[in-house]
Amino acid sequence: MEEATAVREKEAAAFAAEKAEDDANIAAMQKAITAISNGMSGGFLQTRAAPVLRSLVQRSDDMDDADRQTLLSFLGGAAGYAPASGQIVGILKQLHETMSKSLADATADEEAAVKSFKELIAAKTKEVEALTAAVEAKTTLIGELGVKLVQMKEDLDDTQKGLLADKKFLKELETSCATKTQEWEERSKTRAEEL
């Protein structure tokens, strides 16, 4: 469970970093779309969102080279560059939709991973509880059997002592009987002689 927890924490940290970056990129795109749609493209290029968007466009694998060059020329404020703002907004909206879908997919994957992790932990916890109960039951059984074994050894010892005492008594009884039989025979012989 510790290993699964460590892996889950690592995945959660990676997702959090990716989500933070995606949220920042989507926010920058949204600002750009709003500014350009309102005819304030020059003002947008002065904001902090412009370099974030430029970096995103340079790294994005989800757009073709022509769109990339068009956006980079716009974001770079190239002299003589005058595309229709509708084209820029269209490219940005498409990129925004792609990134939003990608973030939604990543979020769904993260939620599925969290659910799977919780199910795994619940199953492992249940398994640990069952095994713990089994260990406790077996430990109790071992203790009970140990007590029975000690009692049986004591019973055996008592029985062996009793057997020795009985054998000693039997030997004494046999000796005593032999003596009594001999005395009886002598008495009987003596009486027979007297008569």
Side-chain angles (χ1 to χ4, degrees):
M1 285 194 298
E2 291 175 9
E3 183 178 330
T5 301
V7 169
R8 180 69 225 119
E9 288 173 353
K10 188 176 180 182
E11 289 173 351
F15 171 74
E18 180 182 344
K19 183 178 183 326
E21 182 179 346
D22 287 352
D23 285 343
N25 292 338
I26 289 170
M29 270 190 275
Q30 191 59 45
K31 286 180 185 176
I33 291 169
T34 302
I36 295 168
S37 296
N38 292 336
M40 298 170 42
S41 60
F44 170 74
L45 293 175
Q46 305 292 320
T47 66
R48 291 183 182 177
V52 171
L53 188 57
R54 186 177 305 113
S55 174
L56 172 65
V57 169
Q58 289 171 339
R59 290 184 324 225
S60 179
D61 296 331
D62 297 332
M63 62 179 6
D64 63 19
D65 287 335
D67 289 345
R68 183 184 329 275
Q69 289 307 315
T70 300
L71 282 174
L72 288 175
S73 294
F74 167 73
L75 292 169
Y81 177 77
S85 62
Q87 180 184 6
I88 300 294
V89 170
I91 294 169
L92 289 175
K93 282 184 177 180
Q94 181 181 5
L95 189 57
H96 183 272
E97 287 174 15
T98 301
M99 289 206 63
S100 294
K101 183 180 181 317
S102 175
L103 179 59
D105 291 345
T107 301
D109 290 346
E110 175 67 7
E111 288 170 356
V114 167
K115 181 180 177 191
S116 176
F117 173 73
K118 286 180 179 178
E119 289 171 354
L120 172 71
I121 292 299
K124 289 296 182 183
T125 300
K126 196 179 229 183
E127 184 179 344
V128 165
E129 288 171 354
L131 292 174
T132 300
V135 166
E136 289 173 356
K138 289 181 180 182
T139 302
T140 301
L141 180 62
I142 288 170
E144 290 171 356
L145 291 175
V147 168
K148 284 184 181 179
L149 181 63
V150 168
Q151 288 174 343
M152 292 171 93
K153 284 181 178 180
E154 287 176 1
D155 289 346
L156 176 63
D157 188 48
D158 290 346
T159 303
Q160 287 175 337
K161 287 178 183 176
L163 179 62
L164 287 175
D166 289 347
K167 283 182 178 180
K168 183 178 177 183
F169 176 72
L170 178 62
K171 194 172 189 179
E172 289 173 0
L173 189 60
E174 287 174 348
T175 306
S176 176
C177 282
T179 305
K180 294 287 181 190
T181 303
Q182 189 179 17
E183 288 176 2
W184 174 256
E185 286 176 3
E186 285 180 16
R187 240 186 260 149
S188 294
K189 187 176 176 186
T190 306
R191 280 191 188 162
E193 287 178 2
E194 288 179 359
L195 289 176

